[in-house]
Amino acid sequence: MPDDFFEEERRGEVRTRSVYRPALIQTEDFSGFCMIRDISPIGVRVEAFAAIVTGQDVIVQFSDTFKTQGRVIWNEGTQIGISFKAEIDTAAVLTGNGGSETNRNTRPLRLDVECDASVQLGSDVIPVKVRDISQRGIKIAASGLSVGASPLVIIPGIEPKRATVTWTQYGICGLHFNVPMRYDELASWAVRIRTEAVE
Protein backbone atom coordinates (compact mmCIF):
# COMPACT_ATOMS: atom_id res chain seq x y z
CA MET A 1 0.00 0.00 0.00
CA PRO A 2 1.40 3.49 -0.79
CA ASP A 3 2.71 5.23 2.32
CA ASP A 4 0.39 8.20 1.88
CA PHE A 5 -2.84 6.27 1.30
CA PHE A 6 -4.19 6.84 4.78
CA GLU A 7 -1.89 9.75 5.61
CA GLU A 8 -4.86 12.07 6.04
CA GLU A 9 -6.49 9.59 8.39
CA ARG A 10 -3.34 9.41 10.50
CA ARG A 11 -3.00 13.20 10.65
CA GLY A 12 -6.64 13.61 11.58
CA GLU A 13 -6.70 10.55 13.84
CA VAL A 14 -9.47 8.98 11.77
CA ARG A 15 -9.74 5.28 12.46
CA THR A 16 -8.88 2.82 9.72
CA ARG A 17 -10.33 -0.69 10.05
CA SER A 18 -8.92 -3.82 8.47
CA VAL A 19 -11.71 -6.03 7.17
CA TYR A 20 -12.19 -8.89 4.74
CA ARG A 21 -15.56 -8.76 3.04
CA PRO A 22 -16.85 -8.47 -0.51
CA ALA A 23 -18.35 -5.39 -2.11
CA LEU A 24 -19.38 -4.41 -5.62
CA ILE A 25 -17.35 -1.91 -7.61
CA GLN A 26 -18.76 -0.13 -10.63
CA THR A 27 -17.19 2.10 -13.26
CA GLU A 28 -18.67 3.59 -16.41
CA ASP A 29 -18.15 0.33 -18.30
CA PHE A 30 -17.67 -2.36 -15.62
CA SER A 31 -19.45 -3.84 -12.63
CA GLY A 32 -17.99 -6.65 -10.54
CA PHE A 33 -16.94 -7.91 -7.13
CA CYS A 34 -14.03 -6.66 -5.06
CA MET A 35 -12.73 -7.51 -1.59
CA ILE A 36 -12.44 -4.78 1.03
CA ARG A 37 -9.11 -4.85 2.88
CA ASP A 38 -9.04 -1.54 4.78
CA ILE A 39 -11.73 1.07 5.28
CA SER A 40 -12.04 4.48 6.91
CA PRO A 41 -14.65 7.25 6.73
CA ILE A 42 -12.81 8.85 3.79
CA GLY A 43 -11.45 5.93 1.81
CA VAL A 44 -11.04 2.23 1.21
CA ARG A 45 -8.44 -0.21 -0.04
CA VAL A 46 -9.85 -3.06 -2.09
CA GLU A 47 -8.59 -6.05 -4.01
CA ALA A 48 -10.15 -6.31 -7.46
CA PHE A 49 -9.76 -8.71 -10.35
CA ALA A 50 -10.55 -6.06 -12.96
CA ALA A 51 -8.15 -3.46 -14.38
CA ILE A 52 -9.29 -0.17 -12.85
CA VAL A 53 -6.99 2.78 -13.44
CA THR A 54 -5.90 5.67 -11.24
CA GLY A 55 -8.13 8.71 -11.59
CA GLN A 56 -11.19 6.68 -12.54
CA ASP A 57 -14.51 7.50 -10.88
CA VAL A 58 -16.15 4.50 -9.23
CA ILE A 59 -19.18 3.52 -7.17
CA VAL A 60 -18.58 1.16 -4.26
CA GLN A 61 -21.65 -0.79 -3.15
CA PHE A 62 -21.33 -2.22 0.35
CA SER A 63 -24.84 -3.66 0.62
CA ASP A 64 -28.26 -3.67 -1.04
CA THR A 65 -29.01 -0.46 0.81
CA PHE A 66 -25.78 1.56 0.69
CA LYS A 67 -23.33 2.65 -1.97
CA THR A 68 -21.03 5.63 -2.30
CA GLN A 69 -19.05 7.44 -4.97
CA GLY A 70 -15.29 7.69 -5.03
CA ARG A 71 -12.19 8.04 -7.16
CA VAL A 72 -9.24 5.70 -7.58
CA ILE A 73 -6.17 7.46 -6.15
CA TRP A 74 -3.66 4.63 -6.60
CA ASN A 75 -3.41 1.24 -8.21
CA GLU A 76 -0.85 -1.49 -7.54
CA GLY A 77 -1.67 -4.75 -9.30
CA THR A 78 -4.93 -6.00 -7.84
CA GLN A 79 -4.80 -3.51 -4.94
CA ILE A 80 -6.75 -0.28 -5.44
CA GLY A 81 -7.03 2.78 -3.21
CA ILE A 82 -10.29 4.72 -3.43
CA SER A 83 -10.99 8.12 -1.90
CA PHE A 84 -14.68 8.72 -1.11
CA LYS A 85 -16.36 11.89 -2.32
CA ALA A 86 -18.19 12.15 1.01
CA GLU A 87 -17.37 10.68 4.42
CA ILE A 88 -19.19 7.52 5.48
CA ASP A 89 -20.09 5.98 8.84
CA THR A 90 -17.92 2.86 8.68
CA ALA A 91 -19.60 1.12 11.63
CA ALA A 92 -23.06 1.55 10.11
CA VAL A 93 -21.85 0.55 6.65
CA LEU A 94 -20.12 -2.63 7.84
CA THR A 95 -22.98 -3.82 10.04
CA GLY A 96 -25.96 -2.62 8.04
CA ASN A 97 -27.72 -1.83 11.34
CA GLY A 98 -26.86 1.77 12.06
CA GLY A 99 -23.63 0.79 13.72
CA SER A 100 -24.94 -2.02 15.93
CA GLU A 101 -22.50 -4.92 15.76
CA THR A 102 -24.71 -7.30 17.73
CA ASN A 103 -27.67 -7.61 15.38
CA ARG A 104 -26.37 -8.14 11.88
CA ASN A 105 -28.79 -8.80 9.06
CA THR A 106 -26.48 -9.00 6.10
CA ARG A 107 -27.76 -10.00 2.70
CA PRO A 108 -25.18 -11.20 0.19
CA LEU A 109 -24.40 -8.74 -2.56
CA ARG A 110 -25.94 -9.71 -5.88
CA LEU A 111 -24.35 -8.89 -9.21
CA ASP A 112 -26.79 -8.20 -12.04
CA VAL A 113 -25.60 -10.31 -14.95
CA GLU A 114 -27.18 -12.03 -17.92
CA CYS A 115 -25.83 -15.26 -19.37
CA ASP A 116 -26.99 -18.67 -20.54
CA ALA A 117 -26.89 -21.61 -18.14
CA SER A 118 -28.81 -24.79 -17.42
CA VAL A 119 -30.19 -26.76 -14.51
CA GLN A 120 -30.30 -30.53 -14.30
CA LEU A 121 -33.10 -32.39 -12.52
CA GLY A 122 -32.54 -36.13 -12.78
CA SER A 123 -32.05 -36.80 -16.48
CA ASP A 124 -33.73 -33.55 -17.56
CA VAL A 125 -31.53 -30.61 -18.52
CA ILE A 126 -33.40 -27.30 -18.65
CA PRO A 127 -31.89 -24.22 -20.35
CA VAL A 128 -32.16 -21.07 -18.23
CA LYS A 129 -31.08 -17.43 -18.22
CA VAL A 130 -29.09 -16.07 -15.28
CA ARG A 131 -30.42 -12.74 -13.98
CA ASP A 132 -28.21 -12.14 -10.95
CA ILE A 133 -25.78 -14.07 -8.79
CA SER A 134 -24.16 -13.94 -5.36
CA GLN A 135 -21.91 -16.24 -3.37
CA ARG A 136 -24.99 -17.84 -1.81
CA GLY A 137 -27.42 -18.09 -4.66
CA ILE A 138 -28.71 -17.22 -8.09
CA LYS A 139 -31.80 -15.80 -9.77
CA ILE A 140 -32.77 -17.34 -13.09
CA ALA A 141 -35.48 -17.16 -15.73
CA ALA A 142 -36.76 -20.71 -16.04
CA SER A 143 -39.87 -22.82 -16.30
CA GLY A 144 -40.65 -26.22 -14.83
CA LEU A 145 -39.04 -25.64 -11.43
CA SER A 146 -40.94 -25.78 -8.16
CA VAL A 147 -40.07 -24.66 -4.65
CA GLY A 148 -38.06 -27.31 -2.83
CA ALA A 149 -36.53 -28.81 -5.98
CA SER A 150 -32.78 -29.40 -5.78
CA PRO A 151 -31.29 -29.12 -9.26
CA LEU A 152 -27.67 -29.07 -10.33
CA VAL A 153 -26.86 -25.58 -11.61
CA ILE A 154 -24.53 -25.61 -14.61
CA ILE A 155 -23.00 -22.25 -15.52
CA PRO A 156 -20.20 -22.11 -18.11
CA GLY A 157 -16.93 -21.30 -16.37
CA ILE A 158 -18.12 -22.31 -12.90
CA GLU A 159 -18.00 -25.72 -11.27
CA PRO A 160 -21.56 -27.19 -11.27
CA LYS A 161 -23.29 -26.51 -7.97
CA ARG A 162 -26.25 -28.13 -6.26
CA ALA A 163 -28.91 -25.63 -5.20
CA THR A 164 -32.41 -25.51 -3.73
CA VAL A 165 -35.27 -23.57 -5.29
CA THR A 166 -36.51 -21.17 -2.59
CA TRP A 167 -39.09 -19.18 -4.58
CA THR A 168 -40.69 -18.88 -8.02
CA GLN A 169 -42.77 -16.08 -9.53
CA TYR A 170 -43.81 -15.39 -13.10
CA GLY A 171 -41.11 -17.58 -14.63
CA ILE A 172 -38.34 -16.25 -12.36
CA CYS A 173 -36.79 -18.53 -9.73
CA GLY A 174 -34.52 -17.93 -6.76
CA LEU A 175 -32.07 -20.71 -5.89
CA HIS A 176 -29.89 -21.04 -2.81
CA PHE A 177 -26.56 -22.82 -3.27
CA ASN A 178 -26.16 -25.75 -0.88
CA VAL A 179 -22.49 -24.75 -0.54
CA PRO A 180 -21.68 -21.05 -1.10
CA MET A 181 -19.37 -20.16 -3.96
CA ARG A 182 -15.82 -19.11 -3.18
CA TYR A 183 -15.35 -15.36 -3.54
CA ASP A 184 -12.34 -15.65 -5.86
CA GLU A 185 -14.18 -18.07 -8.15
CA LEU A 186 -17.21 -15.79 -8.42
CA ALA A 187 -15.21 -12.56 -8.79
CA SER A 188 -12.93 -13.86 -11.55
CA TRP A 189 -15.90 -15.42 -13.38
CA ALA A 190 -17.79 -12.12 -13.25
CA VAL A 191 -14.83 -10.32 -14.83
CA ARG A 192 -14.70 -12.89 -17.66
CA ILE A 193 -18.44 -12.57 -18.29
CA ARG A 194 -18.22 -8.77 -18.45
CA THR A 195 -15.20 -8.93 -20.74
CA GLU A 196 -16.85 -11.37 -23.11
CA ALA A 197 -19.99 -9.20 -23.22
CA VAL A 198 -17.93 -6.16 -24.27
CA GLU A 199 -16.04 -8.13 -26.91
PDB file of all heavy atoms in Angstrom, residues 119-136:
ATOM      1  N   VAL A 119     -30.039 -26.033 -15.761  1.00  0.00           N
ATOM      2  CA  VAL A 119     -30.194 -26.756 -14.507  1.00  0.00           C
ATOM      3  C   VAL A 119     -30.571 -28.196 -14.843  1.00  0.00           C
ATOM      4  O   VAL A 119     -31.304 -28.451 -15.801  1.00  0.00           O
ATOM      5  CB  VAL A 119     -31.263 -26.125 -13.589  1.00  0.00           C
ATOM      6  CG1 VAL A 119     -30.819 -24.744 -13.130  1.00  0.00           C
ATOM      7  CG2 VAL A 119     -32.610 -26.033 -14.283  1.00  0.00           C
ATOM      8  N   GLN A 120     -30.051 -29.111 -14.059  1.00  0.00           N
ATOM      9  CA  GLN A 120     -30.301 -30.531 -14.297  1.00  0.00           C
ATOM     10  C   GLN A 120     -31.096 -31.114 -13.145  1.00  0.00           C
ATOM     11  O   GLN A 120     -30.694 -31.038 -11.985  1.00  0.00           O
ATOM     12  CB  GLN A 120     -28.982 -31.284 -14.470  1.00  0.00           C
ATOM     13  CG  GLN A 120     -29.166 -32.754 -14.767  1.00  0.00           C
ATOM     14  CD  GLN A 120     -27.851 -33.469 -15.042  1.00  0.00           C
ATOM     15  OE1 GLN A 120     -26.827 -32.838 -15.250  1.00  0.00           O
ATOM     16  NE2 GLN A 120     -27.889 -34.785 -15.027  1.00  0.00           N
ATOM     17  N   LEU A 121     -32.251 -31.691 -13.484  1.00  0.00           N
ATOM     18  CA  LEU A 121     -33.096 -32.392 -12.518  1.00  0.00           C
ATOM     19  C   LEU A 121     -33.232 -33.828 -12.994  1.00  0.00           C
ATOM     20  O   LEU A 121     -33.917 -34.091 -13.991  1.00  0.00           O
ATOM     21  CB  LEU A 121     -34.470 -31.734 -12.427  1.00  0.00           C
ATOM     22  CG  LEU A 121     -34.649 -30.591 -11.428  1.00  0.00           C
ATOM     23  CD1 LEU A 121     -36.019 -29.965 -11.602  1.00  0.00           C
ATOM     24  CD2 LEU A 121     -34.461 -31.074 -10.003  1.00  0.00           C
ATOM     25  N   GLY A 122     -32.550 -34.742 -12.313  1.00  0.00           N
ATOM     26  CA  GLY A 122     -32.541 -36.127 -12.780  1.00  0.00           C
ATOM     27  C   GLY A 122     -31.885 -36.189 -14.147  1.00  0.00           C
ATOM     28  O   GLY A 122     -30.763 -35.722 -14.329  1.00  0.00           O
ATOM     29  N   SER A 123     -32.593 -36.712 -15.127  1.00  0.00           N
ATOM     30  CA  SER A 123     -32.050 -36.797 -16.482  1.00  0.00           C
ATOM     31  C   SER A 123     -32.450 -35.607 -17.349  1.00  0.00           C
ATOM     32  O   SER A 123     -32.019 -35.501 -18.503  1.00  0.00           O
ATOM     33  CB  SER A 123     -32.522 -38.094 -17.156  1.00  0.00           C
ATOM     34  OG  SER A 123     -33.944 -38.133 -17.221  1.00  0.00           O
ATOM     35  N   ASP A 124     -33.278 -34.719 -16.799  1.00  0.00           N
ATOM     36  CA  ASP A 124     -33.734 -33.555 -17.559  1.00  0.00           C
ATOM     37  C   ASP A 124     -32.770 -32.390 -17.398  1.00  0.00           C
ATOM     38  O   ASP A 124     -32.406 -32.016 -16.272  1.00  0.00           O
ATOM     39  CB  ASP A 124     -35.124 -33.119 -17.093  1.00  0.00           C
ATOM     40  CG  ASP A 124     -36.190 -34.165 -17.377  1.00  0.00           C
ATOM     41  OD1 ASP A 124     -36.038 -34.908 -18.366  1.00  0.00           O
ATOM     42  OD2 ASP A 124     -37.163 -34.252 -16.592  1.00  0.00           O
ATOM     43  N   VAL A 125     -32.373 -31.809 -18.520  1.00  0.00           N
ATOM     44  CA  VAL A 125     -31.529 -30.612 -18.517  1.00  0.00           C
ATOM     45  C   VAL A 125     -32.350 -29.463 -19.089  1.00  0.00           C
ATOM     46  O   VAL A 125     -32.818 -29.520 -20.227  1.00  0.00           O
ATOM     47  CB  VAL A 125     -30.247 -30.817 -19.336  1.00  0.00           C
ATOM     48  CG1 VAL A 125     -29.421 -29.529 -19.361  1.00  0.00           C
ATOM     49  CG2 VAL A 125     -29.421 -31.968 -18.755  1.00  0.00           C
ATOM     50  N   ILE A 126     -32.533 -28.411 -18.289  1.00  0.00           N
ATOM     51  CA  ILE A 126     -33.402 -27.296 -18.655  1.00  0.00           C
ATOM     52  C   ILE A 126     -32.555 -26.053 -18.908  1.00  0.00           C
ATOM     53  O   ILE A 126     -31.821 -25.613 -18.008  1.00  0.00           O
ATOM     54  CB  ILE A 126     -34.409 -27.006 -17.530  1.00  0.00           C
ATOM     55  CG1 ILE A 126     -35.210 -28.270 -17.177  1.00  0.00           C
ATOM     56  CG2 ILE A 126     -35.340 -25.851 -17.910  1.00  0.00           C
ATOM     57  CD1 ILE A 126     -36.013 -28.137 -15.891  1.00  0.00           C
ATOM     58  N   PRO A 127     -32.626 -25.468 -20.112  1.00  0.00           N
ATOM     59  CA  PRO A 127     -31.886 -24.216 -20.351  1.00  0.00           C
ATOM     60  C   PRO A 127     -32.511 -23.071 -19.575  1.00  0.00           C
ATOM     61  O   PRO A 127     -33.743 -22.971 -19.475  1.00  0.00           O
ATOM     62  CB  PRO A 127     -32.022 -24.011 -21.867  1.00  0.00           C
ATOM     63  CG  PRO A 127     -33.235 -24.779 -22.246  1.00  0.00           C
ATOM     64  CD  PRO A 127     -33.350 -25.936 -21.300  1.00  0.00           C
ATOM     65  N   VAL A 128     -31.675 -22.205 -19.015  1.00  0.00           N
ATOM     66  CA  VAL A 128     -32.158 -21.070 -18.226  1.00  0.00           C
ATOM     67  C   VAL A 128     -31.319 -19.839 -18.558  1.00  0.00           C
ATOM     68  O   VAL A 128     -30.267 -19.938 -19.186  1.00  0.00           O
ATOM     69  CB  VAL A 128     -32.073 -21.357 -16.703  1.00  0.00           C
ATOM     70  CG1 VAL A 128     -32.887 -22.591 -16.341  1.00  0.00           C
ATOM     71  CG2 VAL A 128     -30.626 -21.524 -16.257  1.00  0.00           C
ATOM     72  N   LYS A 129     -31.802 -18.690 -18.098  1.00  0.00           N
ATOM     73  CA  LYS A 129     -31.075 -17.427 -18.221  1.00  0.00           C
ATOM     74  C   LYS A 129     -30.752 -16.917 -16.823  1.00  0.00           C
ATOM     75  O   LYS A 129     -31.641 -16.785 -15.976  1.00  0.00           O
ATOM     76  CB  LYS A 129     -31.912 -16.379 -18.951  1.00  0.00           C
ATOM     77  CG  LYS A 129     -32.120 -16.659 -20.427  1.00  0.00           C
ATOM     78  CD  LYS A 129     -30.915 -16.241 -21.239  1.00  0.00           C
ATOM     79  CE  LYS A 129     -31.230 -16.307 -22.735  1.00  0.00           C
ATOM     80  NZ  LYS A 129     -30.053 -15.963 -23.553  1.00  0.00           N
ATOM     81  N   VAL A 130     -29.492 -16.642 -16.567  1.00  0.00           N
ATOM     82  CA  VAL A 130     -29.088 -16.075 -15.284  1.00  0.00           C
ATOM     83  C   VAL A 130     -29.452 -14.600 -15.260  1.00  0.00           C
ATOM     84  O   VAL A 130     -29.211 -13.874 -16.237  1.00  0.00           O
ATOM     85  CB  VAL A 130     -27.573 -16.248 -15.066  1.00  0.00           C
ATOM     86  CG1 VAL A 130     -27.138 -15.590 -13.756  1.00  0.00           C
ATOM     87  CG2 VAL A 130     -27.199 -17.725 -15.059  1.00  0.00           C
ATOM     88  N   ARG A 131     -30.048 -14.141 -14.148  1.00  0.00           N
ATOM     89  CA  ARG A 131     -30.420 -12.735 -13.978  1.00  0.00           C
ATOM     90  C   ARG A 131     -29.518 -12.010 -12.976  1.00  0.00           C
ATOM     91  O   ARG A 131     -29.168 -10.868 -13.164  1.00  0.00           O
ATOM     92  CB  ARG A 131     -31.873 -12.620 -13.530  1.00  0.00           C
ATOM     93  CG  ARG A 131     -32.883 -13.142 -14.531  1.00  0.00           C
ATOM     94  CD  ARG A 131     -32.743 -12.461 -15.875  1.00  0.00           C
ATOM     95  NE  ARG A 131     -33.817 -12.796 -16.791  1.00  0.00           N
ATOM     96  CZ  ARG A 131     -33.698 -12.751 -18.112  1.00  0.00           C
ATOM     97  NH1 ARG A 131     -32.568 -12.356 -18.655  1.00  0.00           N
ATOM     98  NH2 ARG A 131     -34.717 -13.086 -18.880  1.00  0.00           N
ATOM     99  N   ASP A 132     -29.207 -12.675 -11.883  1.00  0.00           N
ATOM    100  CA  ASP A 132     -28.211 -12.139 -10.954  1.00  0.00           C
ATOM    101  C   ASP A 132     -27.618 -13.287 -10.155  1.00  0.00           C
ATOM    102  O   ASP A 132     -28.152 -14.408 -10.152  1.00  0.00           O
ATOM    103  CB  ASP A 132     -28.764 -11.020 -10.052  1.00  0.00           C
ATOM    104  CG  ASP A 132     -29.800 -11.503  -9.042  1.00  0.00           C
ATOM    105  OD1 ASP A 132     -29.617 -12.580  -8.446  1.00  0.00           O
ATOM    106  OD2 ASP A 132     -30.785 -10.787  -8.823  1.00  0.00           O
ATOM    107  N   ILE A 133     -26.493 -13.014  -9.494  1.00  0.00           N
ATOM    108  CA  ILE A 133     -25.776 -14.073  -8.793  1.00  0.00           C
ATOM    109  C   ILE A 133     -25.061 -13.499  -7.589  1.00  0.00           C
ATOM    110  O   ILE A 133     -24.651 -12.332  -7.573  1.00  0.00           O
ATOM    111  CB  ILE A 133     -24.767 -14.769  -9.753  1.00  0.00           C
ATOM    112  CG1 ILE A 133     -24.180 -16.035  -9.119  1.00  0.00           C
ATOM    113  CG2 ILE A 133     -23.665 -13.801 -10.184  1.00  0.00           C
ATOM    114  CD1 ILE A 133     -23.407 -16.894 -10.112  1.00  0.00           C
ATOM    115  N   SER A 134     -24.939 -14.297  -6.544  1.00  0.00           N
ATOM    116  CA  SER A 134     -24.157 -13.943  -5.361  1.00  0.00           C
ATOM    117  C   SER A 134     -23.402 -15.194  -4.930  1.00  0.00           C
ATOM    118  O   SER A 134     -23.531 -16.256  -5.543  1.00  0.00           O
ATOM    119  CB  SER A 134     -25.070 -13.460  -4.229  1.00  0.00           C
ATOM    120  OG  SER A 134     -25.775 -14.544  -3.638  1.00  0.00           O
ATOM    121  N   GLN A 135     -22.629 -15.070  -3.864  1.00  0.00           N
ATOM    122  CA  GLN A 135     -21.911 -16.241  -3.371  1.00  0.00           C
ATOM    123  C   GLN A 135     -22.871 -17.305  -2.859  1.00  0.00           C
ATOM    124  O   GLN A 135     -22.551 -18.488  -2.877  1.00  0.00           O
ATOM    125  CB  GLN A 135     -20.946 -15.842  -2.248  1.00  0.00           C
ATOM    126  CG  GLN A 135     -19.714 -15.086  -2.729  1.00  0.00           C
ATOM    127  CD  GLN A 135     -18.772 -14.761  -1.587  1.00  0.00           C
ATOM    128  OE1 GLN A 135     -18.833 -13.691  -1.003  1.00  0.00           O
ATOM    129  NE2 GLN A 135     -17.915 -15.704  -1.258  1.00  0.00           N
ATOM    130  N   ARG A 136     -24.057 -16.897  -2.431  1.00  0.00           N
ATOM    131  CA  ARG A 136     -24.988 -17.841  -1.813  1.00  0.00           C
ATOM    132  C   ARG A 136     -26.106 -18.327  -2.718  1.00  0.00           C
ATOM    133  O   ARG A 136     -26.788 -19.294  -2.391  1.00  0.00           O
ATOM    134  CB  ARG A 136     -25.611 -17.204  -0.568  1.00  0.00           C
ATOM    135  CG  ARG A 136     -24.607 -16.868   0.514  1.00  0.00           C
ATOM    136  CD  ARG A 136     -25.320 -16.350   1.736  1.00  0.00           C
ATOM    137  NE  ARG A 136     -24.412 -15.691   2.650  1.00  0.00           N
ATOM    138  CZ  ARG A 136     -24.797 -15.006   3.717  1.00  0.00           C
ATOM    139  NH1 ARG A 136     -26.094 -14.875   3.972  1.00  0.00           N
ATOM    140  NH2 ARG A 136     -23.917 -14.429   4.510  1.00  0.00           N
TER     141      ARG A 136
END
